[in-house]
Amino acid sequence: MTPGSTGQRLRHQRPSAVARGRGTPYLFLLPAFLVYGAFALYPLGRAAQFSLYEWKGFGSSTFVGLGNYLDLAGDADFRRAIGNALMLIVFYSIIPLVVGLILAAILRRGQVRGMGFFRTVIFLPQVIALVVVAVAWRQIYSPHGLLNDVLRGVGLDALTRGWLGDPGTALAAVGFIGTWVEMGLVMLLMLSGMSRIPAEQFEAARLDGAGAVREFFAITLPAVRGEITVALVLTIIAALKTFDLVYMTTSGGPGNSTTVPSFEVYFRAFELREVGSASAVAIVLTVLIFAINVGVSRIGERES
Amino acid sequence: MRVSRAETTLNYVLLLGFAAFALAPVLTILATSVSAPLGQNGGLHLENFAKAWTVGGFGTSLGNSAVVAVIVVSLATVLSILAGYAFGTMRFRGSTVLFYLFLLGMMIPAEATIIPLFFDLRALGLTDTYIAIAMPQVAQSIAFGTFWLRSQFRALPVSLLEAAALDGAGPLQALTRILVPASRPAIVTMLVLVFMWTWNEFLIALVMAPGGRLRTAPLGLATFQGQYTSETALLAAGAVIVALPTVILFLFLQRHFIRGMLEGVAK
């Protein structure tokens, strides 16, 4: 008897060897489902409902249909938030992916001592609270911080600035923190994918006279397609959900130069008191996250 | 596989450079946390931690974080074990649909639920309570935990349950006496990840406790930053205090962190 196997009539079967009653599985699911329904599914539905109203957070509300969504189309802050999010994807996903692939490919080829130490250090940024990460990077980026010290040290005084306060560099400065956070995770994902490639494949390629570069494109890259998909989904979503970092480093500024959809949700709902508009942004963000999950996974499946 | 000396050197150079990059911000904050506060001489200032602790009220905020973490980790674990058990070992009508509904929860961002949660719980007089901070996080963790433990229970041999049935065990006894002990590593992985997420959570704690009385550790640090922008040494000491619990846990249980992140979250 295999759990979950099909082909047998459910109604004549006990749910499992120890569960006799047909209602038993539902009893085990019930507590989890109640909490999940009340604190995740129901609020999601409520957010969709809120997004159809104009409401200040108190008093009466006005039904506006899709008005909040239509307003977003012409809303400069919202468009900037989406544009910024796309830019952040470069820093959170694309750069870590390229670097992670190269580093992992190099590591797989050469036996390195102290692998455990490097793994620990490289993964460390993932476990540190983003609030703490923000405090650390604010000091690095500050006018007398590490980055400007290094620039002055190598004679590039002209480049020094308050990196988070300069509208030209603020978004890249926030994005680069994302690169720092995500790079280790992506590299470890790639390494775990590459460790499954049988060594004979590489030996065969070498006998055929393939160099390191051809070996990478012919064997390594195709083998880690699944991991690339996973890394993209995880990091793109992390980019779209950048809230802690923006809140702690720039509050979306200067101007709206570092605002992102997550920050717009918070700012509109709890600072501007535009609850309907905030909910519309939240729903758009959720749909985007669903679409990326499904879309990237589909592409990943089709290509493999 | 033979590797040339030049390639080995390059490997080490790359790895060391990358490790230095990963460590630089960590070392910066550690160095700042023991540096001289405003108006004092250089040298090692370990008293920064004591001062930050008092001035920043970290005793209270760490305590609040601990309470929230205990609620979220224990509730999410028990409920996920029960649900994962049903999905992983039992056949029933609607199991696929219900499972996908749980999977959906791994994708729902807190940004989408936080607005109604705040206004609805405020209407019930429940904001600024542990319930308001903890329960949304329990819901998020249940989605992951159910998924994670379902695959764990599915991977166990069916003969375990059959043997339990021969011994006359009921479904709950079979779970608590046989499946849970056999799944200890997977459960520990889940505990560790959920603890880390809960400890580091910011948005939910920020919105759900507007009164400030139940401020969690990350919020305590955010408030501290707002009030003492120029006191970089104390701020850094506060940051170290907030980061320490998860970092220590990671150093001791990193296998669980890495396994969970690569196998669980990634799927």
Side-chain angles (χ1 to χ4, degrees), chain B residues 207-221:
Chain B
V207 171
M208 291 313 210
R213 197 174 51 82
L214 292 184
R215 206 172 273 152
T216 59
L219 262 137
L221 184 62

Side-chain angles (χ1 to χ4, degrees), chain A residues 4-5 31 51 53 74 90 92 97 131 137 162 185 206-207 236 243:
Chain A
S5 69
S51 74
Y53 288 83
V90 174
Y92 274 72
L97 183 62
V131 178
W137 281 90
L185 174 70
R206 211 153 296 178
L207 287 178
I236 290 176
F243 174 78

Side-chain angles (χ1 to χ4, degrees), chain A residues 92-102 186 190 227-228 231-232:
Chain A
Y92 274 72
S93 307
I94 311 297
I95 298 175
L97 183 62
V98 172
V99 176
L101 267 173
I102 294 173
V186 175
M190 297 304 133
E227 279 77 15
I228 292 177
L232 284 177

Side-chain angles (χ1 to χ4, degrees), chain A residues 51 64-75 78-79 280 284:
Chain A
S51 74
V64 291
L66 294 175
N68 287 324
Y69 292 93
L70 296 174
D71 288 345
L72 287 183
D75 183 315
F78 176 73
R79 289 165 67 150
V284 171

